[in-house]
Amino acid sequence: MWPHPDQEGMMTTSSSPTSSPPIRILAVAGARPNFMKIAPLMREFAQRPDRFEPILVHTGQHYDKAMSESFFQDLGIPEPDVNLGVGSGSHGHQTAEVLMKIEDLIIEKRPHAVLVVGDVNSTVAATLAAVKLEIPVAHVEAGLRSWDRKMPEELNRVMTDSVSEWLFTTEPSAETNLLREGIPAEKIHFVGNVMIDTLLSHRERAAKLDTVERLGLEPRKYAVLTLHRPSNVDSAEQLRRLFEVLGRLNEELPVVFPIHPRTAKAVEDNLGGMKPDLHLTDPLGYLDFLRLLMDAQMVLTDSGGIQEETTALGVPCLTLRDSTERPVTVTEGTNEIVGTEPSAIEEAITRLRSESPREGRRPALWDGAAAQRIVDILERDLATTLDGAARCGNEN
Ligand code: UD1
């Protein structure tokens, strides 16, 4: 299949014709949306201690307690084995920092595979470092395409997918996209959605929290807003236009806005610190945010993951972007792509508030078992390779 730097070691240490060392997986997470994806995978590896030796790497792309540490606590993710501490920077800087540091780590740890999730700068950087060292990459959440190459995440997705060995997909569109890009069918595995594994396993805990009351809200009588895409927040004009229309909604229905650090900075720099007329909060932890989503009348967002979470929960979602890389949330779920024009957003809000909302259904394989399917496939493929190598060593 692929050469591995560890093969010699395996040959001398194997004690029986078929025994092989545990499969060493370097699992990489860097930014907030990665943490809920890596959590169920780490749990699954931990359940197979004889077969897997996971090494968890936090790149440090997100570093604030609210953007990182609180997620490790809420989701019970083990302490990272290594933190690369790259922090913020321009795209080139941030990507290059991760690439350089993770290359050294891969050389030191000699993993059998590198596991990456999502589409952030850390994802593509770790992938590039690994494949150049001939270590195969498993990409979780492969094949999503917005067809908007102005989005940094789209570039990260295309580059990561083009060199990955295992492409684990969440929805049917992803397979179509990958086949169109010439990825061989045998590398593509439709496994479902690890983020929904996390949502389903934490829903009951979240339901017990008093987040809604604590924020002075009433169930079903508030909206939740998140905004952080460069296309929405980096232009003062666009930000002002969005705050105007959302401020009008807030007069009728409280709009809770946990503000992303990038957005807080943009408000400070571009709007002279003018506070939008909304219910502002600091970024929330995973469980508090899930609690808010569960009882929201509607959610307005430009995030990728929240489109999926609202679909899984059956909560109406208006996506303030011109495209989505997650079309199943529109065709089967509760998501509507409304664009970024204030008049279109206002129209969609009015329609949603006057009509009974579409219920939607949870897409296929968003059932809480995606991580298990992924780890089954990795175990099958890597164990075959390692056992083969061990046998080979014994014969020699
Ligand atoms: C990144 C991801 C995006 C994801 C988002 C979720 C890329 C290209 N983008 O965007 O896909 O949806 O995370 O949050 O990887 N900052 C802090 N504290 C932190 C992290 C960031 O203050 O812990 C501030 C810094 O000023 C930084 C800015 O936020 O410059 C942007 O952070 P960065 O990681 O570069 O990208 P995001 O916009 O967060």
Side-chain angles (χ1 to χ4, degrees):
M1 209 172 180
W2 48 80
H4 184 266
D6 222 19
Q7 283 195 348
E8 253 177 63
M10 278 169 6
M11 290 171 198
T12 50
T13 54
S14 54
S15 54
S16 76
T18 51
S19 79
S20 55
I23 301 163
R24 207 175 311 135
I25 303 269
L26 196 94
V28 182
R32 186 170 62 175
N34 288 167
F35 305 137
M36 39 290 230
K37 294 169 194 163
I38 211 78
L41 292 159
M42 295 308 292
R43 205 170 41 243
E44 200 56 41
F45 289 135
Q47 280 169 12
R48 309 179 194 199
D50 296 342
R51 292 314 271 150
F52 284 98
E53 183 189 327
I55 301 165
L56 179 59
V57 183
H58 188 329
T59 66
Q61 176 173 344
H62 283 178
Y63 44 84
D64 284 350
K65 185 169 194 304
M67 298 295 284
S68 173
E69 198 184 316
S70 85
F71 286 80
F72 279 71
Q73 284 163 1
D74 278 1
L75 302 176
I77 307 171
E79 186 78 12
D81 296 285
V82 183
N83 191 323
L84 301 178
V86 301
S88 302
S90 69
H91 283 271
H93 244 264
Q94 195 174 54
T95 309
E97 279 267 316
V98 177
L99 202 155
M100 286 191 297
K101 291 186 167 170
I102 219 161
E103 180 181 65
D104 289 345
L105 189 68
I106 293 173
I107 291 169
E108 183 197 326
K109 303 283 186 190
R110 299 156 67 91
H112 300 106
V114 169
L115 176 80
V116 298
V117 298
D119 55 15
V120 302
N121 288 339
S122 300
T123 310
V124 69
T127 299
L128 203 49
V131 294
K132 293 233 175 187
L133 291 167
E134 298 188 22
I135 305 296
V137 171
H139 183 207
V140 174
E141 201 186 86
L144 299 179
R145 296 289 180 269
S146 65
W147 310 111
D148 175 2
R149 293 224 170 163
K150 289 204 186 106
M151 283 179 76
E153 293 81 3
E154 181 77 352
L155 299 172
N156 293 343
R157 288 190 279 260
V158 171
M159 289 188 277
T160 301
D161 287 341
S162 69
V163 291
S164 289
E165 188 63 34
W166 294 270
L167 297 105
F168 294 115
T169 62
T170 51
E171 62 164 283
S173 74
E175 177 161 4
T176 312
N177 299 336
L178 291 169
L179 291 173
R180 194 188 300 171
E181 288 173 15
I183 305 289
E186 61 273 18
K187 291 188 177 185
I188 306 169
H189 308 275
F190 177 34
V191 290
N193 195 325
V194 285
M195 216 179 60
I196 305 305
D197 289 6
T198 296
L199 183 147
L200 295 177
S201 62
H202 288 82
R203 202 167 40 169
E204 275 180 33
R205 262 177 81 200
K208 296 194 183 110
L209 299 181
D210 64 355
T211 321
V212 175
E213 297 74 24
R214 222 171 58 225
L215 291 170
L217 305 164
E218 284 180 61
R220 303 279 152 198
K221 291 192 181 152
Y222 63 90
V224 176
L225 169 70
T226 81
L227 283 178
H228 76 279
R229 293 259 155 251
S231 56
N232 275 332
V233 307
D234 286 1
S235 136
E237 181 56 24
Q238 176 62 6
L239 205 50
R240 195 175 295 113
R241 278 155 36 107
L242 286 175
F243 285 158
E244 256 171 44
V245 62
L246 296 165
R248 277 199 291 280
L249 171 61
N250 188 62
E251 287 166 15
E252 299 167 18
L253 184 74
V255 177
V256 190
F257 183 27
I259 193 159
H260 188 283
R262 157 189 275 281
T263 313
K265 190 166 182 298
V267 170
E268 194 60 43
D269 293 352
N270 301 336
L271 299 184
M274 172 205 104
K275 290 276 176 278
D277 219 353
L278 304 167
H279 286 239
L280 282 177
T281 74
D282 286 331
L284 295 172
Y286 181 79
L287 292 170
D288 274 328
F289 189 70
L290 176 56
R291 180 70 195 85
L292 269 195
L293 288 185
M294 285 163 73
D295 257 329
Q297 186 180 112
M298 71 174 80
V299 174
L300 303 110
T301 190
D302 60 7
S303 148
I306 294 170
Q307 297 172 51
E308 295 183 341
E309 290 168 330
T310 45
T311 274
L313 292 168
V315 171
C317 177
L318 300 180
T319 294
L320 311 184
R321 287 171 42 188
D322 294 321
S323 60
T324 182
E325 60 287 333
R326 294 162 159 91
V328 79
T329 61
V330 176
T331 54
E332 296 187 26
T334 53
N335 188 21
E336 197 184 327
I337 308 301
V338 298
T340 55
E341 279 304 314
S343 57
I345 296 169
E346 198 143 36
E347 203 185 297
I349 291 171
T350 309
R351 196 168 0 94
L352 196 58
R353 298 206 70 205
S354 60
E355 291 170 4
S356 48
R358 193 157 47 111
E359 282 188 7
R361 61 166 182 261
R362 204 186 297 159
L365 302 190
W366 291 21
D367 59 359
Q372 193 184 323
R373 290 185 198 101
I374 290 169
V375 176
D376 280 348
I377 293 169
L378 290 176
E379 181 170 348
R380 182 197 67 198
D381 290 357
L382 283 160
T384 309
T385 315
L386 297 191
D387 288 345
R391 246 194 316 274
C392 215
N394 230 286
E395 278 157 21
N396 287 340

